Amino acid sequence: ALAAPVLLADGDLFVPASIGVAVLGKEVDVATLVGNADAAMYRAKQLGGNRCEIFQQASRPSTSSRLSIHREMHRALERDEFCVEYQPLVSLNTGKVTGAEALVRWRHPERGLLAPRDFLPIAESSGLIVPIGERVLNLACRQARRWQSEVNTYDPLRVHINLSPLQFLQPDLADIIAQALETTGAAPELVALEITESAIMEDTDATLNALLELKHLGVGLVIDDFGTGYSSLTHLKTFPVDELKVDQSFVAGLCSSDKDGAIVNAVIALAHSLGLSVVAEGVESAEQHQRLQDLHCDVGQGYYFGRPGAARDVVPLAG
Ligand code: C2E
Ligand code: CA
Ligand code: CA
């Protein structure tokens, strides 16, 4: 029944469904039952979606470990275990720090500091990325506010915040961001939102409206991982973005592969001709730094300038 297309005036709409099934056993409580069904649904999605999977505890250890991470993440939100590290963004013109990207970490009570790859995929597929993302948003805005007041001898630092595609689909996203700006007192021009290409390159008016609403708040908009999704030049022209972030895979090959060099060069030229500024991420060597300067890239980010770390480590570099 679900596979049948929905008939609309301008064509058929296919809505795939991923279904997880769990069977109620004797000693199973409601929370576990729903959790098991949820885990089976991840499995269905993992296998490509548009299918139905039945939960099987014994045969699927990876599912149960996903499940336990999922449960732990709920608790971690309550216990406030998510925190943020900041990685400096450096002007390639002046060599000064212009801001920092907020990168989420999970201070796990037993496993130590976890990086996004250890929990973000599950947070994304379970929807927990929405409350986690809100936590990050508030922490990062509070930090922007602190930099505003502390760093009065330098140009104020701008904080970059990652938005997951799921957050981007929230109808009240602009309100959530406006609220975070208001409660923290962060100036909108000191906050930039990073959105991946694939999240915004969906051809819908809704995307454009969402971006316009965010733009209206006064925050900066950055396309992250540029070059890895399916970029449409039309959208680049229409969407109110300020900055492109060249994906680190191209920067990695900048000095060793002619093709990567050509791509980085082309992205910078394209961005500049559209009036956008360009950040290169994943800069690890002096050679890459030099090459990016030669190509007139605006901003660099990477281990060469500084690893993600405490907010207080970002400030002294600004002088
Ligand atoms: P991203 O947005 O592309 O962030 C850059 C990633 O590259 C970070 O990994 C950073 O630590 C790493 N990196 C920075 N410089 C270098 C370098 O010179 N060399 C190499 N090899 N790597 C470098 P991290 O912190 O593990 O984050 C991974 C991804 O997780 C991020 O990729 C972003 O997509 C996502 N993420 C991080 N924080 C958040 C968040 O608060 N919300 C959402 N939705 N996603 C987040
Ligand atoms: Ca990013
Ligand atoms: Ca990126």
Side-chain angles (χ1 to χ4, degrees):
L2 289 170
V6 181
L7 306 177
L8 296 178
D10 47 359
D12 294 352
L13 185 67
F14 291 89
V15 187
S18 298
I19 302 175
V21 176
V23 179
L24 184 63
K26 276 202 185 91
E27 59 288 45
V28 172
D29 58 292
V30 173
T32 312
L33 180 71
V34 174
N36 288 352
D38 219 22
M41 185 195 67
Y42 298 148
R43 177 87 189 138
K45 285 188 174 172
Q46 231 176 24
L47 294 171
N50 196 18
R51 58 188 289 151
C52 176
E53 279 294 306
I54 296 172
F55 179 76
Q56 286 167 15
Q57 186 94 51
S59 62
R60 303 225 170 95
S62 70
T63 307
S64 64
S65 84
R66 283 176 78 87
L67 190 60
S68 80
I69 294 179
H70 182 193
R71 280 204 205 100
E72 278 185 67
M73 268 193 297
H74 262 294
R75 224 170 342 177
L77 269 169
E78 284 161 16
R79 295 181 187 172
D80 211 8
E81 290 170 4
F82 292 101
C83 58
V84 171
E85 285 193 327
Y86 297 88
Q87 185 177 34
L89 293 153
V90 177
S91 161
L92 297 179
N93 248 330
T94 65
K96 291 197 176 182
V97 174
T98 58
E101 178 172 8
L103 295 159
V104 68
R105 302 289 181 258
W106 178 0
R107 218 179 276 289
H108 193 283
E110 286 112 45
R111 295 200 286 152
L113 201 63
L114 301 182
R117 65 169 174 280
D118 299 321
F119 60 91
L120 223 53
I122 301 176
E124 294 267 0
S125 62
S126 65
L128 279 178
I129 187 62
V130 173
I132 295 172
E134 246 181 272
R135 180 76 191 123
V136 169
L137 175 71
N138 280 290
L139 286 170
C141 286
R142 207 186 297 159
Q143 186 54 52
R145 174 75 187 99
R146 240 177 250 146
W147 277 327
Q148 249 162 267
S149 51
E150 279 171 12
V151 197
N152 42 19
T153 41
Y154 318 116
D155 290 337
L157 300 176
R158 195 159 89 138
V159 71
H160 282 225
I161 303 169
N162 292 285
L163 283 189
S164 89
L166 209 59
Q167 280 176 286
F168 189 69
L169 293 174
Q170 299 271 293
D172 57 348
L173 178 66
D175 294 337
I176 292 170
I177 289 168
Q179 183 73 47
L181 293 171
E182 198 183 312
T183 50
T184 59
E189 62 274 18
L190 296 182
V191 173
L193 304 173
E194 297 197 357
I195 309 164
T196 56
E197 246 179 326
S198 49
I200 61 167
M201 289 303 174
E202 300 280 337
D203 179 28
T204 58
D205 293 345
T207 303
L208 180 59
N209 286 336
L211 288 173
L212 286 171
E213 261 187 80
L214 295 176
K215 192 73 218 158
H216 192 68
L217 296 175
V219 297
L221 296 175
V222 181
I223 301 186
D224 203 355
D225 303 342
F226 188 76
T228 57
Y230 51 108
S231 333
S232 150
L233 299 180
T234 312
H235 291 146
L236 262 193
K237 189 182 74 176
T238 339
F239 289 164
V241 295
D242 315 283
E243 210 162 78
L244 296 186
K245 248 184 164 179
V246 186
D247 190 66
Q248 43 184 283
S249 58
F250 303 117
V251 177
L254 185 59
C255 301
S256 53
S257 144
D258 288 346
K259 285 185 179 159
D260 284 339
I263 290 173
V264 175
N265 191 6
V267 171
I268 294 170
L270 171 70
H272 284 169
S273 65
L274 292 169
L276 310 175
S277 89
V278 188
V279 183
E281 62 180 0
V283 183
E284 294 184 350
S285 68
E287 203 188 353
Q288 288 166 340
H289 177 212
Q290 182 60 55
R291 186 76 197 276
L292 288 163
Q293 277 182 316
D294 295 344
L295 294 174
H296 305 291
C297 183
D298 305 284
V299 176
Q301 178 186 3
Y303 298 162
Y304 176 74
F305 303 106
R307 293 194 175 243
R312 64 175 175 279
D313 296 335
V314 175
V315 184
L317 296 166

